[in-house]
Amino acid sequence: MTETSTTVEFTPERLKIAQEMIARYPAERQKSALLPLLHLAQEQWGWLSPEVMDYIGRMLDIQAIEVYEVATFYTMFHLDPVGKHVIEYCRTGPCCLMGGEEIYDYLKQKLGIQAGETTADQKFTLKEVECLAACGMGPVFQIREKYYMNLTRDKVDEIIAELSR
């Protein structure tokens, strides 16, 4: 999908992968491919627009609302455009008790954005999430599959500097 186009289609390579994902399930159970298809779509477009979710629904022959329900339930899916690096930070009690609020305030100040916003250079998006299941190592945030734990201001500076290169 380009800025000037409203046509949403997987690239030929991804379409082949999508068809293989769908074929793993019996005809009456193809909705089971929804999560992997949403991941594949987000990989291609960077986020899940309503048009992309509608496309996935048509592929699986399910109602668009069924796709929306799943996409809005999981925080790993982005429903708005995001920066190159999405920093998901835990806002639950254990991380806050371990200094999370101070670290997250510092992170917001350093990047000049609030939760749900993206930096002007499109490098970073901040996203509040519920538990990241690393309670004993908080404060913690996640960028893609990598966890950053026992965060301090110095660690935040190092991480942001490295990702800014």
Side-chain angles (χ1 to χ4, degrees):
M1 183 171 70
T2 63
E3 294 294 321
T4 58
S5 172
T6 57
T7 302
V8 174
E9 293 178 345
F10 279 125
T11 62
E13 300 81 18
R14 282 199 176 89
L15 181 58
K16 183 176 184 233
I17 293 168
Q19 291 166 339
E20 290 168 359
M21 289 174 173
I22 294 167
R24 292 178 191 158
Y25 303 98
E28 68 279 0
R29 300 271 188 247
Q30 289 186 340
K31 181 180 175 181
S32 299
L34 180 54
L35 282 173
L37 288 176
L38 288 173
H39 282 290
L40 189 67
Q42 185 164 279
E43 189 180 284
Q44 178 167 324
W45 289 289
W47 65 293
L48 301 175
S49 69
E51 295 81 12
V52 168
M53 290 187 279
D54 291 348
Y55 174 63
I56 298 298
R58 287 191 303 275
M59 288 186 82
L60 294 173
D61 196 28
I62 60 176
Q63 297 294 314
I65 189 65
E66 295 176 87
V67 180
Y68 297 178
E69 288 170 343
V70 172
T72 59
F73 179 79
Y74 293 103
T75 60
M76 64 195 149
F77 295 122
H78 311 304
L79 304 177
D80 294 300
V82 294
K84 180 178 179 181
H85 305 288
V86 178
I87 301 173
E88 297 177 304
Y89 64 94
C90 178
R91 294 292 298 161
T92 55
C95 277
C96 290
L97 287 172
M98 297 176 82
E101 289 180 325
E102 176 192 336
I103 293 300
Y104 304 135
D105 286 344
Y106 177 71
L107 179 62
K108 290 185 262 190
Q109 175 210 355
K110 182 166 188 66
L111 295 175
I113 58 174
Q114 297 297 310
E117 296 178 345
T118 300
T119 56
D121 62 5
Q122 301 298 303
K123 285 190 179 178
F124 298 97
T125 296
L126 288 180
K127 193 172 184 180
E128 290 182 349
V129 296
E130 293 302 313
C131 188
L132 289 171
C135 300
M137 295 163 274
V140 62
F141 61 65
Q142 178 180 2
I143 302 173
R144 286 177 290 287
E145 292 80 30
K146 186 170 181 179
Y147 275 56
Y148 297 86
M149 299 173 280
N150 301 307
L151 293 169
T152 63
R153 286 175 176 241
D154 289 339
K155 283 185 179 180
V156 168
D157 290 340
E158 290 171 19
I159 294 162
I160 298 304
E162 171 141 349
L163 294 174
S164 293
R165 292 186 190 130

